[in-house]
Amino acid sequence: MTDPIGAAVAVGAIIARDGRLLLGLRSPYRRRCPGRWDLPGGHVEDGETVVEAARRELMEEIGIIAERIGLLVTLNLLDVGGRPMLLSIMRVAEWRGSPTLRDHEHVALGWFTPDAAAELPDLAVDAYRPVFGRLRLNSF
């Protein structure tokens, strides 16, 4: 989906457990950010809200059902090729299931403290760093 000014619209989800957030290591064969740690998520399809897209992507990628979810922040980024992208980062406060790899988009899942995630040298999006740095996972 694109917004009215032509920017791609995508979502990423912060899932926390025991003071740690979940990241997926992107497959080395992915076009965008290969071999980098990223939030689970993806593009918003036509007719979807960002909440619907986040729920769909979480089921497709890691097999969880997001029950309580809300917008944390929207980042203005550039996608592959320099195209504008709006990335809505969602905070999943409650979910059912156990996060597991379900497709070939990621090759591993890892749980990181917000500080450790913010310091990863191979983080997919540098704009995540201040977001992770401000997280207080136990407050959700």
Side-chain angles (χ1 to χ4, degrees), residues 30-44:
R30 300 298 298 177
R31 193 180 113 195
R32 189 183 75 77
C33 304
R36 295 187 166 274
W37 290 99
D38 201 0
L39 294 171
H43 285 90
V44 177

Side-chain angles (χ1 to χ4, degrees), residues 7-140:
V9 181
V11 295
I14 292 178
I15 299 155
R17 177 178 73 190
D18 301 325
R20 297 178 182 275
L21 61 100
L22 182 69
L23 298 176
L25 183 61
R26 292 180 61 82
S27 166
Y29 306 106
R30 300 298 298 177
R31 193 180 113 195
R32 189 183 75 77
C33 304
R36 295 187 166 274
W37 290 99
D38 201 0
L39 294 171
H43 285 90
V44 177
E45 294 180 359
D46 287 337
E48 278 186 320
T49 66
V50 291
V51 169
E52 291 166 340
R55 285 190 167 123
R56 176 184 50 75
E57 289 284 351
L58 290 170
M59 176 53 75
E60 290 174 2
E61 291 183 12
I62 59 173
I64 67 168
I65 298 169
E67 295 188 327
R68 200 163 59 114
I69 186 170
L71 179 65
L72 184 63
V73 66
T74 298
L75 303 174
N76 293 302
L77 307 170
L78 294 178
D79 200 354
V80 176
R83 178 178 166 199
M85 180 173 73
L86 297 175
L87 175 62
S88 294
I89 298 180
M90 312 301 289
R91 173 65 170 97
V92 180
E94 292 178 20
W95 75 90
R96 283 187 288 135
S98 180
T100 55
L101 294 173
R102 293 183 47 113
D103 62 16
H104 57 316
E105 186 164 334
H106 299 98
V107 295
L109 296 175
W111 294 95
F112 300 86
T113 66
D115 289 340
E119 293 186 20
L120 286 168
D122 52 354
L123 194 58
V125 178
D126 280 334
Y128 289 162
R129 295 180 199 287
V131 174
F132 294 167
R134 290 189 307 259
L135 281 181
R136 297 294 173 258
L137 298 179
N138 295 328
S139 68
F140 286 92

